[in-house]
């Protein structure tokens, strides 16, 4: 973990020393989802949140750039445990043990650091892809989640000559965020608006 953080700091430092660099801010909507591995009794519902933070872009050429972001991201979700599926047998036949399902509302806050390769296609349109590192900074209900997550982000953007930009991206978590190793991974859709200074 310490080596990874050192590499990230060195990368950001090198980016900031580049000559053709621009800074900006962005904010927007999150639609988050927890992906559960091979569990028919647990389902996840998408829930909304928000993200806000800064953007730094190093222009390598007219068509290619490297972009870093540092965002606070509220990644919420609802897990539905299908308790009504549990049944017991007695003289009257099979009846559910529980009458209702259980819903658990997760409200997680992350500090996200994506490092993106960005290609400008035409007239301000761009595509981007790269790894994202996520550090858990708040867990409202103190559920047993790991402090670190990583995965990949990809998306589309459009930037006006004025500096105003819009983007939509998708994050696919690669690691199990549960300390109980039950196979919970994150997926997040982000819709953003921002401004490059």
């Amino acid at each position: 973990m310490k080596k990874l953080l050192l590499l990230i700091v060195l990368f950001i430092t090198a980016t900031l020393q580049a000559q053709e660099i621009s800074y900006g801010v962005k904010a927007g909507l999150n639609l988050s989802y927890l992906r559960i591995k091979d569990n028919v009794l647990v389902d996840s519902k998408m829930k909304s949140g928000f993200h806000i933070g800064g953007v730094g872009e190093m222009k390598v050429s007219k068509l290619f750039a490297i972009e870093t972001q540092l965002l606070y991201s509220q990644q919420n979700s609802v897990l539905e445990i299908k308790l009504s599926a549990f049944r017991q047998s007695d003289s009257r036949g099979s009846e559910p043990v529980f009458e209702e399902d259980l819903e658990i509302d997760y409200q997680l806050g992350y500090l996200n650091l994506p490092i993106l390769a960005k290609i400008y296609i035409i007239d301000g349109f761009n595509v981007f892809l790269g790894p994202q590192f996520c550090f858990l900074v708040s867990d409202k209900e103190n559920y047993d989640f790991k402090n670190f997550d990583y995965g990949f982000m990809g998306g589309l953007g459009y930037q006006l000559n004025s500096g105003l930009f819009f983007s939509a991206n998708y994050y696919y978590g690669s690691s199990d965020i549960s300390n109980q190793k039950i196979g919970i991974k994150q997926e997040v859709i982000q819709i953003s608006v921002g401004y490059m200074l």
Side-chain angles (χ1 to χ4, degrees):
M1 175 66 77
K2 290 182 179 179
K3 290 182 179 179
L4 175 61
L5 290 174
L6 179 60
L7 287 173
I8 292 170
V9 170
L10 290 175
F11 179 84
I12 293 175
T13 302
T15 300
L16 294 176
Q17 291 175 346
Q19 293 182 354
E20 291 187 46
I21 187 167
S22 55
Y23 304 93
V25 293
K26 65 179 287 188
L29 173 70
N30 284 354
L31 297 172
S32 309
Y33 176 84
L34 292 177
R35 192 169 72 255
I36 314 297
K37 181 181 179 182
D38 301 329
N39 196 326
V40 296
L41 297 178
V42 180
D43 195 13
S44 178
K45 296 180 180 178
M46 188 174 285
K47 192 173 179 182
S48 63
F50 70 91
H51 62 273
I52 186 169
V55 181
E57 182 183 279
M58 179 180 67
K59 217 52 178 302
V60 177
S61 69
K62 186 177 179 180
L63 300 178
F64 181 72
I66 295 174
E67 180 176 288
T68 59
Q69 303 175 14
L70 187 61
L71 305 173
Y72 174 78
S73 180
Q74 187 184 61
Q75 295 170 196
N76 304 328
S77 186
V78 175
L79 285 186
E80 182 181 48
I81 303 174
K82 301 177 182 178
L83 297 177
S84 60
F86 291 99
R87 296 181 175 273
Q88 63 184 2
S89 297
D90 56 22
S91 59
R92 296 173 298 173
S94 179
E95 295 183 354
V97 178
F98 303 96
E99 294 295 331
E100 296 182 356
D101 295 334
L102 173 65
E103 287 193 350
I104 304 174
D105 191 350
Y106 292 100
Q107 299 182 49
L108 306 176
Y110 282 88
L111 195 61
N112 290 343
L113 177 64
I115 301 173
L116 307 169
K118 189 174 183 180
I119 299 174
Y120 283 90
I121 303 171
I122 187 172
D123 294 333
F125 283 101
N126 57 81
V127 296
F128 49 87
L129 177 68
Q132 177 171 288
F133 307 98
C134 313
F135 304 89
L136 183 64
V137 293
S138 66
D139 179 358
K140 188 173 181 180
E141 301 297 331
N142 294 316
Y143 291 108
D144 195 16
F145 287 127
K146 294 178 182 177
N147 293 325
F148 178 70
D149 182 32
Y150 64 90
F152 292 91
M153 180 210 278
L156 303 168
Y158 179 70
Q159 183 169 328
L160 301 171
N161 291 332
S162 64
L164 184 68
F165 69 87
F166 307 90
S167 65
N169 59 264
Y170 169 70
Y171 170 73
Y172 184 88
S174 300
S175 66
D176 183 357
I177 65 171
S178 169
N179 280 318
Q180 305 302 318
K181 299 181 180 180
I182 57 178
I184 299 178
K185 299 182 180 181
Q186 298 193 88
E187 297 182 32
V188 185
I189 297 170
Q190 292 183 328
I191 301 171
S192 311
V193 60
Y195 183 75
M196 298 301 289
L197 304 174

